[in-house]
Amino acid sequence: MTVALFTLGGTIAMGGVAKGGDGPGGGAVTRLTGAQLTAAVPGLAELGMPLEVQDTQAVPSASLSFAHLLDLVRDASQAVRRGATGVVVTQGTDTLEETAYLVDLVWPHEAPFVLTGAMRNPTLAGPDGPANLLAAARVAASPAARGLGALAVLNDEIHAARWVRKTHSTSTGTFASPALGPIGQVIEGQVRILATPPGHSSPAIPGADRLTAAGLADTRVALYTVTLDDDGALLEGLADTHQGLVVAGFGVGHVSSALAPVFGALAERIPVVLTSRCGAGSVLRQTYGAVGSERDLLRRGLINAGLLDPYKARILLRLLLAAGVDREAITAAFARHG
Ligand code: ASP
């Protein structure tokens, strides 16, 4: 029995400022290998399971792509088929809430898929990477975490991919699940699951294993956040260049009366998904009736994303479109996942 560890880039893997500047403007970019990362973690040897380390994309998490992640899922799947008990991925924290959800939608195994990272790099006082990596490995090795899909483990908290958000740009307590809180904790090294998200008996995206980089490249999904007194000029021609749109609306899913017909016209050509820009809480369905309200937009053909935040709604919509799913099935998927 092993835990498969895949390392990407990010703060957790930064070894400090390279001499002469290791990037366009200097700064912390140098990458630690998985072997160096694990060597810095006291307690890992007592896990009772060796880590099988594979160094992969050494990129900041902002530069990851859907194709990178699907490759990673395939490699991780192979590791599980070879007998790994669970998977840990280290990566930058900036996109972790998105990558975790993407993995969650396509991960076909009972074995836990755990993502972690760090907010303080190893050259700073009190780096959080080693503790996060140890907690993540404990969760990946734990029978209690089986069947829970993709999990984000940082700060000794276990978050379901479905709910996790990065909520602060620098705090080590940045990861939170505003809708319900963490689903578990690592306490004195023990993995305690306190709430169980809906099961992951099969991947949520049909045919996910057949998604290709080319298919994804042909599937562009825009995310548009409405703001005060916006004339919507950016939306012109969008249906010619994009196959889908996620709207981050005001509050419970509202836009201005001027933009309501613009989104309605777009929804006649491409799927347009309605989310809230608030950061927590659901889009409503049947409360408000003004032009631009949730009732009006849903009547115009927008798809209700429920509790799904804009970033996660974009992941779901892009995967569904890349898998060739029709509008009816997209609406059903959002009803199920939102
Ligand atoms: N910019 C880094 C990244 O996401 C930040 C981090 O690792 O926390 O790659």
Side-chain angles (χ1 to χ4, degrees), residues 9-12 14 59-62 91-95 118-119 166:
T11 296
I12 191 168
M14 285 176 182
V59 292
S61 74
Q91 67 158 90
T93 59
D94 288 345
T95 61
M119 295 300 289
K166 183 172 181 179

Side-chain angles (χ1 to χ4, degrees), residues 197-321:
H200 287 263
S201 49
S202 58
I205 304 296
D209 49 343
R210 293 191 301 278
L211 292 175
T212 61
L216 286 161
D218 288 345
T219 310
R220 289 203 194 89
V221 175
L223 169 56
Y224 189 88
T225 303
V226 300
T227 49
L228 188 67
D229 198 19
D230 171 18
D231 67 4
L234 262 181
L235 294 163
E236 267 169 43
L238 189 114
D240 297 328
T241 53
H242 290 72
Q243 285 66 48
L245 170 66
V246 173
V247 178
F250 298 117
V252 296
H254 291 181
V255 307
S256 67
S257 55
L259 285 189
V262 176
F263 289 125
L266 283 167
E268 284 171 16
R269 296 186 55 197
I270 56 174
V272 179
V273 172
L274 183 61
T275 64
S276 170
R277 68 175 205 172
C278 286
S282 182
V283 164
L284 294 184
R285 191 168 286 283
Q286 53 189 16
T287 299
Y288 294 90
V291 177
S293 67
E294 83 285 358
R295 282 177 78 109
D296 178 46
L297 295 173
L298 298 176
R299 192 182 50 75
R300 291 176 196 265
L302 275 71
I303 297 165
N304 189 331
L307 285 152
L308 213 50
D309 70 61
Y311 308 113
K312 291 187 175 61
R314 183 178 166 275
I315 304 270
L316 177 58
L317 181 56
R318 188 164 177 215
L319 287 180
L320 290 166
L321 287 167

